[in-house]
Amino acid sequence: MTDSSSSTPESWRDWLLTAEPHSRHQARLGRAYVTWRRFSENRLAVTGLVIILALVLIAIFADLLAPHSATVGNLAGARLLPPGSSGFLLGSDDQGRDILSRLIVGSRITLAVVALVAIIAAPVGLLIGTVAGFAGGYVDAVLMRITDIFLAFPKLILALAFVAALGPGIENAVIAIALTSWPPYARLARAETLGVRNSDYIAAVRLMGASPTRIVVRHIMPMCLSSLIVRVTLDMAGIILTAAGLGFLGLGAQPPMPEWGTMIASGRRFILDQWWVATMPGLAILVVSLGFNLLGDGLRDALDPREAGR
Amino acid sequence: MTAIEASKLARRRRIRGLALTFGRFAIMLATTFLGLLAVTFFIGRVVPIDPVLAIVGDRAPAAVVERVREQMGFNLPLWQQFFIYLRQALTGDFGVSVLTTNPVFDDILRVFPATLELATVGTLIGAGLGVPLGVIAAVRRGSFADQIVRIVGLIGYSVPIFWLGLLSLLLFYARLKWVAYPGRLDVAYEYTFTPITGLYLFDAAWTRQWDILWDAFRHIILPGSLLGYFSLAYISRMTRSFMLNELGQEYIVAARAKGLSERRIVWFHALRNAAVPLVTVIALSYAGLLEGSVLTETVFSWPGIGLYITNSLQNADMNAVLGGTIVIGTVFIAINMFSDLLYRLLDPRTRMR
Amino acid sequence: MVGGVSPFLKQPKHECLEMKAPLRAKAFREFSAGVALAVLMTLGAPTYAATPADTLVEGFAIDDLITLDPAEAFEFSAAEFIANSYNKLVNLDLQDTSKIVGELADSWTVSDDSLTYTFKLKPGLQFASGNPITAADVAYSFERVVKLDKSPGFLITQFGITGDNVAEKAKALDPLTFQLTVDKAYAPSFVLNVLTSMTASVVDKELVLQHVKPVTPSDEFKYDNDFGNEWLKSAYAGSGPFKLIVWKANEALVLERNDNATIHQAALKRIIYRHMKESAGQRLALENGDIDIARNLEPGDVDAIAAKEGYTVTSAPKGTLYLLGLNQKNQYLAKPQVRQAIKYLIDYDAIASTLIKGIGQVHQTFLPSGQLGALEDKPFSLNVDKAKALLAEAGLPDGFAVTLDVRNTQPVSGIAESLQQTFAQAGIKLELIVGDGKQVLTKCRARQHDMCFSNWGSDYFDPNSNAETFTVNTDNSDASKNKTLAWRNSWDPGELNGVTHAALQEKDTAKRTAMYQDLERKVLDTGPYAFIYQQIEVAGYSSKVKNFRLGPSFDTNYVFPISKD
């Protein structure tokens, strides 16, 4: 009805939502748009997205946003000041450093941990799961046995033991958490693979002579992506909490790195009189985890309407 | 084939199916356990802390350190140490804790009930509150009550447990003085009370020592509630999900058509069907609390296996660390697999042929 | 969840049951509301836990305990336990710790050549088990220490006593006379000081012999039994004012009054050392009456307790020194100007007024205050310009990068963070490697560090203990048998070795003091140590506790004089 060459918003919408897309590109964009509409109707999910975007922005512009240095403090002069003291919006810690600045710079560490674990664990899980699901038989049994072994382990304890063995430090904490995080993704990918393995289009591609690698990589893996992304996002809160837990036990990031869990551990001694030193980082963790959870929930509702509202 | 033969065949098939299920379960359990042992051993030997130090102490002269290292077999090749380790672990011999000088197995028997008690209280609170909340949220889906339940659950997923523990200690112990801390009993009772099972609440009630029961309750209520809150977050969410699933089924429509009250439909029919996966969820939550006890016990100085492992780690008492990890790991694995098995057994749709 | 008819759906037995449901639900609601109300009411009534009047509860970090056997124990917590539960031949005078008085020994004589010490025991003394204390028990105690040769064994074996000659060198002449023969003419004050350490505690020979474990002799251990070492690890065979009830590692150490004790008698019936690692936890428990004494308070909590009504704080300097060890294997730290520059880059004043306030005092020499020969000079203070000049002189005007191994406990890790900031002002980039106690110890003992935040407590109350470790390094190779702190930092003290050995044998106290002070000055100028502070042990306690005093070392922290109102 409208002129297809005009670029008013109405025609964009129609173009995206049309029932007969002319190209794969249009179909993809259309699906994305529909998903986005579903997502944005959920206020909580949008809140989560806003929180995460804020986190990313803060992390990027940390140096500009932080009013003081996050590592250099005024030991003699500005130690353990309460929130609201001049220049120290959230108070200062036991080395005289501004807590707000430390939180801001620490957001980089939080983001880095989450991103690294996701980048390491998700592809590994995806690979193992799809290979196991597609190959079946002996390979499947062995891979799933290994997956189940790791899945059945108590994660925090294993991460604890790993980090204790490798030595405390944020890198080792990341490795330890990643090592214990991949099994659910493998399981998920395998379940998805089993679902689509016998479908017609896979059979068709196989008939056309595609190698197993190609089938797995180009046709099966993309099917797993959406549920994987949702799962990863939902897990991110747990990753942040585990990293903070390791920091709290003294096994994660080491002082003076402004990692939020480590800050809680250092502030624990002052909880009675200077409660803000331990409370502020905890609030930060709470808000960010909440953001990831809301975002993950919203993504899941948007991407898979059958599960919506669950 | 006669009817008798047919039924005999059917029974043999059923027994075979059951045997297969159990058989595969046993093999899974065994291999997983072996994997756990391998991983813990590997971890134990990669530690950069000299384990001998834990035996001889910080101030020992070097000659003593070297002598003890030789005696303890730390200079043997790694694979040899692993086989010795394997053999010992399978017989329940986790070695001797260098800190307490007791066999690690005895130590764990001593501290495990504390964690067990804590996890049980936590799960009771979590399930006792979580299931009804989940049901209410499912029934009144989209309403304010539903939102509240979801938010409470979400916060439970997002808040660091040790931080919440610290703040709750500050509030309920330091400021309000409602609860007791640290440990499981006050000093006045601690060395005069002889536990039977190690579960202080049960033991005190069993021997009718009501003042000790009250004291134990005051000590466990805060960490137990904390764990309960986390359990609640998970259980209420899963209950809500299962209930929504059930309430969307056809038989609910049929029941309504028959004129059954809403309350009966929800609590008697839908919940009963959701009960099977729900039991699985509660079992998993219990296992999760056993594991999550590590952080809680550190904050509350609760003398359970979590604190035992953490202390041992910091003192390079690797026997104790590995023993503790194996025990928790085994219980964890066992609960996971048993709930899996239970699910298969209870729900006839998933039985193997 | 596959769709379909649920197999669990049941028909209601009787429609009438439906009508009862609302009533039942109402009753249930009311019942649960009542229960909730009752619970809240009882929870709301605060009950204060007070410790019993005849029991003293101390909150104390006792996780360093590994054994209670006096022949093996060397840790601070063990020192305190053994001091309160065992007796020795001689001990430091409770009122004046520079004097030595007899404890089990009534009197003693030293031969003219200073090689033979003869002790006469007090008659009629008993162990907690009821067995009489005789010279044979003393001899057996020495025999155990020498033959087991555990960590503190060197204290006795340094006198030339070995497993082969101990029967001759440490023997009972008659039931009340004990004789000790040493190999050189040491200053008697030195020998007697060593005999006041916990390793020289006297154990109940009869009781221990009932619990020895047979052992196959090997190349390393030539004897056929373990001298009760395994049993005594968590058991007790002494004569002191308190006896052991139970030791639960990392949980508690429980002592009870020994009614057979004659030398010192306990006022209270029971002492419980409850393991609590954190200052905040100890403070809370102290304020709530769950413990009577808190032993590991940090500065902020010390101030809070001191200001609180009904509570007091006491403190005593301890002989433990905290310092940075600069490994001379590191090319930068080997330069003398760099070593001195580092000593000028520590903000002693800020640290003293904040991080170690009340729990430490700035100290810059290797003998702690209170010991013979201690030097109180404090030539160093934060002086960034001077440090920069020194670095320029060393050819490093832009600084350099270096690591510091430090324990993850307070206050040392806080001090390390402060160091990071002050070092940076002169261009030195300090990277912290934080580990737990044993990790750091392992690394530093193996000379694998650049800088190590170490601490050192004297093994006995004589300047030789510290001098030996800081200024003696006879073999700087990796295979050295004598791994002093000087060795650990790869430092060759050169002629200082000889001076220390000479000072050990110097009988004139004034001369000896001067020799040690000279050594300290030299170490200030050239030593690879940056001493930061000396520990002050501080304790907060309820005013109900009386006669509580901290001594100059952990084995003079006596609990038997303590009583409660």
Side-chain angles (χ1 to χ4, degrees), chain B residues 19-81:
Chain B
L20 261 178
T21 313
F22 274 113
R24 284 174 80 131
F25 170 76
I27 293 182
M28 272 186 356
L29 198 59
T31 46
T32 314
F33 184 62
L34 200 67
L36 178 68
L37 283 179
V39 172
T40 48
F41 173 79
F42 170 73
I43 290 173
R45 292 300 182 259
V46 185
V47 177
I49 306 174
D50 192 344
V52 180
L53 272 179
I55 304 173
V56 300
D58 294 358
R59 311 186 69 203
V64 176
V65 174
E66 197 44 52
R67 184 162 26 106
V68 177
R69 181 172 301 130
E70 185 65 46
Q71 276 171 2
M72 313 267 355
F74 288 127
N75 289 340
L76 289 172
L78 214 59
W79 61 267
Q80 211 170 342
Q81 293 186 43

Side-chain angles (χ1 to χ4, degrees), chain B residues 37 39-40 43 56 87 94 100 128 138 141 146 183 247 294 305 330 338-339 352:
Chain B
L37 283 179
V39 172
T40 48
I43 290 173
V56 300
R87 186 166 32 100
F94 293 135
T100 64
R141 176 178 162 182
D146 181 22
L247 289 174
V294 171
I305 199 170
T330 311
F338 267 111
S339 65
M352 309 202 62

Side-chain angles (χ1 to χ4, degrees), chain C residues 297 314-318 320 322 356-362 533-539 550:
Chain C
L297 295 175
T314 179
S315 65
K318 285 278 185 301
T320 310
Y322 287 81
I356 60 172
K357 181 163 170 250
I359 63 172
Q361 61 200 27
V362 174
Y533 74 99
Q534 176 178 352
Q535 183 187 10
I536 295 179
E537 201 192 2
V538 70
L550 295 169

Side-chain angles (χ1 to χ4, degrees), chain A residues 44-266:
Chain A
L44 284 180
V46 175
T47 314
L49 182 63
V50 165
I51 294 177
I52 302 307
L53 282 178
L55 175 73
V56 172
L57 285 174
I58 291 177
I60 295 178
F61 296 110
D63 296 324
L64 296 172
L65 290 169
H68 297 264
S69 161
T71 47
V72 176
N74 186 350
L75 181 60
R79 193 166 175 255
L80 293 173
L81 296 174
S85 320
S86 65
F88 296 101
L89 191 62
L90 295 179
S92 67
D93 68 4
D94 63 310
Q95 290 278 331
R97 296 175 293 216
D98 177 31
I99 292 182
L100 179 63
S101 310
R102 298 200 86 208
L103 286 182
I104 289 176
V105 173
S107 66
R108 279 194 178 156
I109 302 175
T110 308
L111 213 55
V113 167
V114 161
L116 278 174
V117 172
I119 290 175
I120 298 175
V124 168
L126 182 64
L127 187 66
I128 292 182
T130 47
V131 166
F134 191 70
Y138 190 88
V139 175
D140 182 17
V142 167
L143 282 178
M144 276 305 111
R145 194 59 24 247
I146 298 178
T147 309
D148 278 340
I149 288 178
F150 273 91
L151 195 59
F153 283 178
K155 284 184 190 25
L156 180 65
I157 302 206
L158 215 57
L160 206 115
F162 266 123
V163 174
L166 299 170
I170 192 78
E171 324 81 36
N172 295 334
V174 167
I175 295 175
I177 299 176
L179 276 172
T180 50
S181 296
W182 63 266
Y185 307 142
R187 267 284 187 86
L188 194 68
R190 178 177 176 271
E192 295 272 348
T193 310
L194 286 179
V196 298
R197 191 170 79 166
N198 297 319
S199 59
D200 291 338
Y201 74 95
I202 297 292
V205 171
R206 204 192 306 224
L207 272 178
M208 292 203 297
S211 70
T213 322
R214 190 185 171 84
I215 299 177
V216 166
V217 172
R218 291 210 59 183
H219 298 281
I220 297 192
M221 277 194 182
M223 301 301 297
C224 311
L225 271 182
S226 66
S227 43
L228 200 67
I229 290 177
V230 166
R231 188 61 204 263
V232 168
T233 315
L234 283 174
D235 279 351
M236 279 181 176
I239 293 172
I240 294 177
L241 292 177
T242 309
L246 287 176
F248 180 71
L249 291 174
L251 295 172
Q254 296 300 313
M257 282 189 91
E259 196 262 319
W260 297 343
T262 316
M263 285 168 75
I264 299 182
S266 338

Side-chain angles (χ1 to χ4, degrees), chain C residues 167-275:
Chain C
E168 195 37 53
K169 300 271 188 171
K171 63 180 177 195
L173 293 179
D174 62 54
L176 285 179
T177 312
F178 171 74
Q179 190 178 69
L180 182 73
T181 316
V182 300
D183 60 345
K184 284 199 213 130
Y186 301 105
S189 60
F190 170 63
V191 175
L192 289 172
N193 256 319
V194 173
L195 291 180
T196 66
S197 70
M198 58 176 168
T199 316
S201 298
V202 175
V203 305
D204 186 343
K205 176 176 180 181
E206 266 184 63
L207 186 60
V208 172
L209 283 178
Q210 290 167 14
H211 292 93
V212 295
K213 200 177 79 157
V215 161
T216 14
S218 67
D219 285 335
E220 292 131 13
F221 191 70
K222 302 188 288 201
Y223 313 103
D224 63 358
N225 71 87
D226 74 336
F227 298 98
N229 176 242
E230 190 177 313
W231 174 70
L232 260 187
K233 206 162 189 163
S234 51
Y236 169 74
S239 55
F242 281 102
K243 60 183 179 192
L244 174 75
I245 296 296
V246 71
W247 169 44
K248 290 194 211 164
N250 284 359
E251 266 188 58
L253 181 66
V254 183
L255 310 177
E256 202 173 81
R257 179 167 54 215
N258 170 16
D259 294 314
N260 281 341
T262 33
I263 300 194
H264 299 291
Q265 268 142 354
L268 289 172
K269 171 145 185 274
R270 203 176 262 150
I271 309 277
I272 299 180
Y273 287 98
R274 189 186 208 153
H275 174 59

Side-chain angles (χ1 to χ4, degrees), chain C residues 175-446:
Chain C
L176 285 179
T177 312
F178 171 74
Q179 190 178 69
L180 182 73
T181 316
V182 300
D183 60 345
K184 284 199 213 130
Y186 301 105
S189 60
F190 170 63
V191 175
L192 289 172
N193 256 319
V194 173
L195 291 180
T196 66
S197 70
M198 58 176 168
T199 316
S201 298
V202 175
V203 305
D204 186 343
K205 176 176 180 181
E206 266 184 63
L207 186 60
V208 172
L209 283 178
Q210 290 167 14
H211 292 93
V212 295
K213 200 177 79 157
V215 161
T216 14
S218 67
D219 285 335
E220 292 131 13
F221 191 70
K222 302 188 288 201
Y223 313 103
D224 63 358
N225 71 87
D226 74 336
F227 298 98
N229 176 242
E230 190 177 313
W231 174 70
L232 260 187
K233 206 162 189 163
S234 51
Y236 169 74
S239 55
F242 281 102
K243 60 183 179 192
L244 174 75
I245 296 296
V246 71
W247 169 44
K248 290 194 211 164
N250 284 359
E251 266 188 58
L253 181 66
V254 183
L255 310 177
E256 202 173 81
R257 179 167 54 215
N258 170 16
D259 294 314
N260 281 341
T262 33
I263 300 194
H264 299 291
Q265 268 142 354
L268 289 172
K269 171 145 185 274
R270 203 176 262 150
I271 309 277
I272 299 180
Y273 287 98
R274 189 186 208 153
H275 174 59
M276 299 173 74
K277 239 186 135 72
E278 288 125 35
S279 171
Q282 287 191 10
R283 173 180 154 193
L284 273 179
L286 182 62
E287 287 175 356
N288 280 352
D290 286 323
I291 60 177
D292 299 306
I293 303 181
R295 297 282 299 272
N296 299 93
L297 295 175
E298 285 174 15
D301 295 318
V302 170
D303 289 338
I305 293 289
K308 208 168 153 97
E309 190 67 40
Y311 293 95
T312 330
V313 164
T314 179
S315 65
K318 285 278 185 301
T320 310
L321 296 171
Y322 287 81
L323 62 137
L324 301 177
L326 310 174
N327 195 347
Q328 298 302 287
K329 275 189 184 174
N330 178 292
Q331 48 164 325
Y332 305 116
L333 301 175
K335 297 183 199 294
Q337 297 95 339
V338 171
R339 297 202 295 260
Q340 295 307 97
I342 286 178
K343 296 174 191 173
Y344 283 106
L345 283 173
I346 303 174
D347 195 348
Y348 302 94
D349 289 332
I351 292 174
S353 61
T354 54
L355 298 173
I356 60 172
K357 181 163 170 250
I359 63 172
Q361 61 200 27
V362 174
H363 191 86
Q364 297 181 351
T365 56
F366 71 75
L367 287 179
S369 307
Q371 267 190 24
L372 183 77
L375 196 62
E376 298 297 337
D377 289 3
K378 296 189 184 50
F380 301 111
S381 59
L382 181 64
N383 191 336
V384 182
D385 294 326
K386 185 151 187 182
K388 279 192 190 162
L390 282 166
L391 286 176
E393 225 180 276
L396 298 164
D398 300 319
F400 56 93
V402 73
T403 64
L404 170 63
D405 284 273
V406 60
R407 290 177 143 108
N408 60 4
T409 54
Q410 297 297 337
V412 292
S413 74
I415 295 177
E417 288 188 58
S418 159
L419 290 178
Q420 250 183 344
Q421 299 172 30
T422 44
F423 278 32
Q425 293 178 31
I428 301 182
K429 188 166 171 308
L430 186 65
E431 184 195 330
L432 298 183
I433 305 180
V434 183
D436 63 62
K438 295 206 161 49
Q439 237 171 338
V440 173
L441 202 61
T442 306
K443 202 169 160 195
C444 295
R445 280 180 166 193

